[in-house]
Amino acid sequence: MPHDDHEPIFKRSKWGTNRYHYNPANPIGAALIVITLVFVATMMIMMTNRVGPFAPDPERTGGNPPTVAPTAP
């Protein structure tokens, strides 16, 4: 199936809403689908392994909130 040069990147959803979705018939739309899937899979793996932005705070070791030192008047 040859790709038409006039295919839009985004297509309107046929579910009766005003939402749009990527058009896999357009090469850019297909690339956006692949990039989105790789990004989401990477984020899910990082969340599962608790690395990167999902790493626990190193100075917090317990479940208790940090205490505030009293200030001198």
Side-chain angles (χ1 to χ4, degrees), residues 30-71:
L32 287 172
I33 291 170
V34 171
I35 290 169
T36 301
L37 291 174
V38 168
F39 177 77
V40 169
T42 302
M43 286 295 144
M44 297 296 273
I45 291 169
M46 290 174 73
M47 286 178 7
T48 302
N49 295 328
R50 297 180 60 102
V51 296
F54 307 105
D57 200 9
E59 64 261 6
R60 303 247 347 236
T61 56
N64 297 331
T67 57
V68 178
T71 58

